[in-house]
Amino acid sequence: MRLLFRLKDSSIFMKIMAVFLIVLLPLMMITLFFNERGANSIQREISRSTLNTTSFYLDSLDKEVERINRYLPNYVTDNDLLELAALGTDLTDYERANNITMIQKRLELMKNTSSFIREARAYVPKIDRTLLSQHFNTFLNREEFAAMQHGSPFYSKPFIYWNNRLFITLQYPTNTFKDPVYMVGVELSTSKIKELLAQIAGSLNGETMLLNVEHGWDIRSNEQSTLQESMKAFIQEKWKKEQYEGYDIVQYDGERYLTVYKYSPVWSSYSVTCIPESTVLGPIQKYRQWFWWACGLAVAAALFFSYSLMKLIYRPLMKLIQAFRRVKQLNLAPVPIDRGHDEFGYLYQAFNDTVHSLKTLIEQNYEQQIRTQRSELKRLQSQINPHFLYNCFFVLCRLIKSEDKEKAYQFCLYIGEYFHFITRNDDDEIPLEMEVKHSSTYVDMQSICYGDRIHVYLDIESLPIRVPRLILQPIIENAYKYAFGNMRGEGELWVHSEQVEGGVIISVEDNGDSLDDGKLSELCSRLVYCANHIDETTGLINVHRRIQLRYGEVYGLELSRSELGGLKVRIHLGLE
C-alpha cells in the first residue's frame, strides 16, 4: 500500500515505466532465476574442486617446510661449525680449510634433501664469510646477515623475506638477545614454489599467489599480473574476519574473478587462486548477455511509448522545477525559453519576469545596506577624530605661561604630528604599525602633561596587517581620563599584544583605583548591547562598534579586571 501511495505522488514518467515493468517483470525474473541458479551451481562446483586442489598442494608445501624445520637444528649444532665460529682465525689454515670443507658437504646434503631448497648457507661472522654448499671464496654480507636475524630468540615463524628472496634461518645460540655467533639457513626456491602454484589453476586460465598476512610479502605464479593489490586487500578483510578458507567473487578492472582462498598456519599465508569468471561460466555468460539484451529491448520499448509524453510534459516541467530549486538557493538565473506560445511558454516567461523583479529588489536592498553601513562607519570615525582637540590648546597655553619653551615646542610638534595623522587622508584602514606610532605620539603628549607620574610600557609586535583607524589611541585616552585623572599615586599603563588563531589581541591595562565591580559590569553590558543603541558613539563603544563592522560580531573589545588592579581592555582584531 505504501508503494502505491508513493507511486501516486511520483512523476508521470515513473508511473508509465512502472506500469510497463509490472507486465514484463515476472517473465524477466523467472528467466533470470534459472540463469543465475545454473551459474551459481557451476561456480560452486569449480570452487570446491579448486579448494581441494589448493589444500593438496598447500599441504605439500607445509610438509616440506616442517621437514626443513626438523632437520635445521641438527645442522646448527654441527661440531665443525661450532669450532670454526668459536676459534675462527686462531685455527691453522689447514684446520680452517678442513672445517669449511666438511661444513660445505653437510650444506650440500641439506640442499639435496628437498627440491624446494635453492641454496644452503652458514653465516660465520668470526671469519667474515658466508659458507655456501659449493662456493668456497665467499664473504659475509653484513646487510644480509642482519636481515636473517629474527627479532626474538623465541620465534614461531621461521620465514624471512628479503630482497624478493625467501629464507628459513636458525641462529646460534637461540636463547639470547645478543648477536648470534653464527647462523644456518636455507634459501627456498621461489621458482619451484611458483611452478607448484601454477599447477593449482593452470587448466582454468587462472593464477595463484601466496600472500603473507603478517609481513606483506607475496609469491605469484604470474609475475605480470596486476591483481596482487586487490587480492591483498581482499585477504586482509578475510583475515580480520577470521575466515581461513572459502571462495568469493572479486571484481577488478571491470572483470569478475572467482577467488578461492585457504590459510596455511605454517606459512602464515593465504593461498589465493583467481579464475576469470568468463572461463568458469562459458556459454552461460552468453545466455546472461542475451537476457540483458532482452531487458534492454524491453526498456527501450517502454522509453519509446513514454517518449512523447516525456517530451511534451515531463522535460518542460522538470526544467521549471529545477529553476525553482535554483531560486530557493538564491540563484536567480532565468529559464531559456525554447517553447512556443503554449502553456509552458507562458510559464517560462512569467518565471523570468518574476526572477528579474526579485533580482532588482535584492540588489536595491543590498546596496542600501552597504551605503548605510559605510555612512555609519564614516560618522563614527568623524566623531572620534576631534575628540582630543578640546584639551590640546589648554595644555599649550599652560606651558607657554610657565615659560617652559622646550616643552611647549615639543608639545607643538606632538600636536602637529597628532593632527597630521588624523587629517592627512581618508583611508578607513591603515597599517598596524602606523596606528601604534600614533598612539605612541599621544602617550608622549600625555607625558608632558603628567610628568613622571605615569609609567607607560609599550610592547606591541609589529605585524603586516591593516586595521581601522583610531582603535588603540582612544583606549589609551580612556585610561588617562578615568584611571589616572583623579589618581594621587603613580600610575602604570601596560600595552602589549599577542597572536592567536585567526587574529591578534592588543591589551591595554592600567592600575587605576576608581573602577569597582559595579562599574565594570555596567561597561560590559553597554558593550554587549551597543548595536541596539547606535546613537552612543564615543569612547570604548565607538571603537568596539567599528571593529565589529569591519571584522564581524565575534571581534571587538573585551573588558575585565587587570592584574595591575584597574581595567583591562582586550582588542580582538582579525587577520583579514
Side-chain angles (χ1 to χ4, degrees):
M1 291 300 294
R2 293 181 179 177
L3 183 60
L4 292 176
F5 281 113
R6 291 180 182 177
L7 186 61
K8 181 180 178 181
D9 297 331
S10 63
S11 64
I12 298 174
F13 179 74
M14 293 300 298
K15 291 177 181 178
I16 296 174
M17 289 299 299
V19 173
F20 192 82
L21 290 177
I22 287 174
V23 177
L24 294 180
L25 191 59
L27 183 60
M28 294 167 61
M29 292 300 297
I30 292 173
T31 305
L32 181 62
F33 172 76
F34 285 112
N35 188 282
E36 292 297 326
R37 187 165 185 177
N40 292 336
S41 178
I42 294 176
Q43 287 181 351
R44 185 166 55 252
E45 293 301 324
I46 293 181
S47 299
R48 290 176 179 175
S49 175
T50 305
L51 186 58
N52 292 334
T53 306
T54 302
S55 300
F56 173 76
Y57 285 108
L58 202 56
D59 289 342
S60 300
L61 283 176
D62 292 347
K63 291 177 181 178
E64 289 291 334
V65 172
E66 291 173 351
R67 188 160 57 85
I68 294 173
N69 287 334
R70 286 197 306 269
Y71 292 151
L72 197 59
N74 297 330
Y75 293 95
V76 171
T77 58
D78 181 76
N79 292 330
D80 293 327
L81 188 56
L82 284 169
E83 183 179 4
L84 183 64
L87 300 179
T89 55
D90 296 334
L91 296 173
T92 65
D93 293 340
Y94 172 78
E95 291 174 336
R96 187 166 56 253
N98 184 61
N99 283 358
I100 291 175
T101 302
M102 298 301 296
I103 293 170
Q104 285 184 319
K105 288 182 179 180
R106 293 182 181 89
L107 292 176
E108 177 69 20
L109 181 63
M110 184 194 310
K111 176 183 175 182
N112 294 331
T113 58
S114 175
S115 61
F116 288 95
I117 298 179
R118 181 174 179 268
E119 182 60 271
R121 60 190 67 204
Y123 303 91
V124 186
K126 184 70 174 179
I127 61 174
D128 197 26
R129 292 184 61 178
T130 301
L131 305 181
L132 305 179
S133 61
Q134 294 180 350
H135 299 283
F136 186 81
N137 294 322
T138 57
F139 296 93
L140 181 66
N141 186 333
R142 292 290 177 178
E143 182 181 0
E144 180 179 340
F145 179 69
M148 294 301 107
Q149 300 179 31
H150 296 269
S152 169
F154 306 103
Y155 53 87
S156 58
K157 301 298 184 292
F159 295 102
I160 292 179
Y161 193 81
W162 181 74
N163 283 354
N164 296 324
R165 298 157 64 191
L166 190 61
F167 298 85
I168 298 178
T169 61
L170 186 62
Q171 62 191 35
Y172 181 87
T174 60
N175 58 348
T176 178
F177 286 95
K178 298 180 179 179
D179 293 336
V181 177
Y182 62 87
M183 187 184 305
V184 177
V186 296
E187 179 182 353
L188 297 180
S189 175
T190 55
S191 60
K192 292 291 184 180
I193 298 175
K194 291 177 182 178
E195 291 177 5
L196 185 142
L197 295 176
Q199 296 176 13
I200 296 178
S203 60
L204 295 174
N205 195 26
E207 57 181 278
T208 304
M209 56 188 73
L210 197 64
L211 301 178
N212 185 273
V213 294
E214 293 183 358
H215 302 289
W217 53 263
D218 62 86
I219 300 176
R220 292 169 280 159
S221 62
N222 182 10
E223 290 293 337
Q224 306 300 324
S225 173
T226 58
L227 285 171
Q228 68 271 17
E229 295 301 328
S230 297
M231 292 301 107
K232 286 181 180 180
F234 171 77
I235 286 302
Q236 286 295 335
E237 182 179 353
K238 297 300 180 183
W239 173 257
K240 292 178 181 178
K241 295 180 180 179
E242 298 183 355
Q243 298 178 0
Y244 300 116
E245 66 174 52
Y247 51 89
D248 205 342
I249 297 294
V250 176
Q251 188 166 356
Y252 172 75
D253 198 17
E255 187 172 358
R256 290 161 56 90
Y257 291 86
L258 176 61
T259 305
V260 181
Y261 60 93
K262 182 176 176 61
Y263 178 74
S264 170
V266 176
W267 291 75
S268 297
S269 305
Y270 277 88
S271 172
V272 186
T273 302
C274 303
I275 304 172
E277 191 181 47
S278 57
T279 304
V280 175
L281 298 182
I284 293 183
Q285 275 198 329
K286 294 182 179 179
Y287 298 143
R288 182 182 294 173
Q289 292 177 356
W290 293 348
F291 170 78
W292 290 116
W293 275 108
C295 293
L297 291 175
V299 173
L303 293 174
F304 175 77
F305 285 111
S306 60
Y307 174 74
S308 57
L309 289 178
M310 182 179 65
K311 183 177 180 181
L312 294 173
I313 299 177
Y314 182 73
R315 286 183 178 175
L317 191 59
M318 286 302 299
K319 187 176 180 180
L320 194 60
I321 291 174
Q322 291 173 359
F324 276 108
R325 288 175 179 172
R326 291 196 298 269
V327 172
K328 188 177 180 180
Q329 298 174 357
L330 300 181
N331 182 9
L332 304 180
V335 178
I337 301 177
D338 55 357
R339 307 286 295 190
H341 297 287
D342 59 1
E343 289 81 359
F344 280 104
Y346 173 79
L347 290 175
Y348 288 167
Q349 186 61 48
F351 176 83
N352 290 344
D353 294 341
T354 303
V355 166
H356 178 72
S357 300
L358 286 174
K359 186 182 295 186
T360 302
L361 292 175
I362 290 175
E363 290 176 354
Q364 292 176 353
N365 184 44
Y366 180 74
E367 291 176 359
Q368 181 63 31
Q369 288 182 354
I370 294 297
R371 286 195 296 268
T372 302
Q373 188 183 63
R374 182 75 176 179
S375 175
E376 180 184 0
L377 182 60
K378 287 294 184 181
R379 181 169 63 89
L380 292 175
Q381 199 169 24
S382 65
Q383 287 188 7
I384 200 171
N385 283 340
H387 188 74
F388 187 62
L389 180 62
Y390 307 131
N391 299 323
C392 290
F393 293 109
F394 174 78
V395 174
L396 184 59
C397 290
R398 180 170 59 83
L399 291 175
I400 294 173
K401 188 176 181 179
S402 63
E403 296 184 356
D404 192 344
K405 297 181 180 180
E406 184 64 27
K407 284 189 176 181
Y409 172 74
Q410 190 65 38
F411 192 74
C412 287
L413 293 180
Y414 289 151
I415 292 177
E417 186 176 350
Y418 179 87
F419 286 102
H420 176 67
F421 170 83
I422 294 177
T423 60
R424 66 178 173 179
N425 58 55
D426 294 330
D427 291 341
D428 297 326
E429 296 181 359
I430 59 174
L432 176 60
E433 183 179 0
M434 187 179 295
E435 177 69 19
V436 173
K437 183 179 179 182
H438 173 68
S439 301
S440 178
T441 301
Y442 175 80
V443 170
D444 291 336
M445 296 172 67
Q446 292 290 11
S447 297
I448 294 177
C449 298
Y450 286 87
D452 297 331
R453 190 168 67 87
I454 308 298
H455 302 282
V456 182
Y457 306 96
L458 288 174
D459 184 18
I460 301 179
E461 183 180 357
S462 180
L463 297 173
I465 61 174
R466 298 180 67 85
V467 298
R469 297 179 63 188
L470 294 174
I471 58 170
L472 179 59
Q473 180 266 329
I475 307 301
I476 298 176
E477 181 181 354
N478 185 79
Y480 275 102
K481 182 177 180 180
Y482 295 103
F484 306 140
N486 299 321
M487 189 175 181
R488 295 183 178 181
E490 293 187 352
E492 290 187 23
L493 182 65
W494 182 28
V495 184
H496 56 95
S497 67
E498 61 176 317
Q499 279 192 268
V500 296
E501 183 178 359
V504 61
I505 297 178
I506 301 176
S507 300
V508 180
E509 304 185 43
D510 61 66
N511 67 335
D513 54 5
S514 60
L515 181 67
D516 55 25
D517 293 338
K519 290 182 179 179
L520 179 59
S521 177
E522 181 183 355
L523 285 175
C524 293
S525 299
R526 290 172 63 188
L527 284 183
V528 172
Y529 299 106
C530 66
N532 300 327
H533 301 83
I534 198 62
D535 53 329
E536 187 175 8
T537 57
T538 57
L540 299 178
I541 297 196
N542 184 308
V543 176
H544 179 66
R545 184 56 183 160
R546 289 191 296 116
I547 293 176
Q548 286 189 331
L549 287 174
R550 170 59 180 87
Y551 297 107
E553 296 296 327
V554 297
Y555 297 91
L557 302 186
E558 178 187 353
L559 307 182
S560 61
R561 178 71 65 179
S562 170
E563 296 180 358
L564 302 178
L567 178 65
K568 179 178 181 179
V569 181
R570 289 163 57 89
I571 307 173
H572 294 262
L573 303 173
L575 292 180
E576 297 182 359

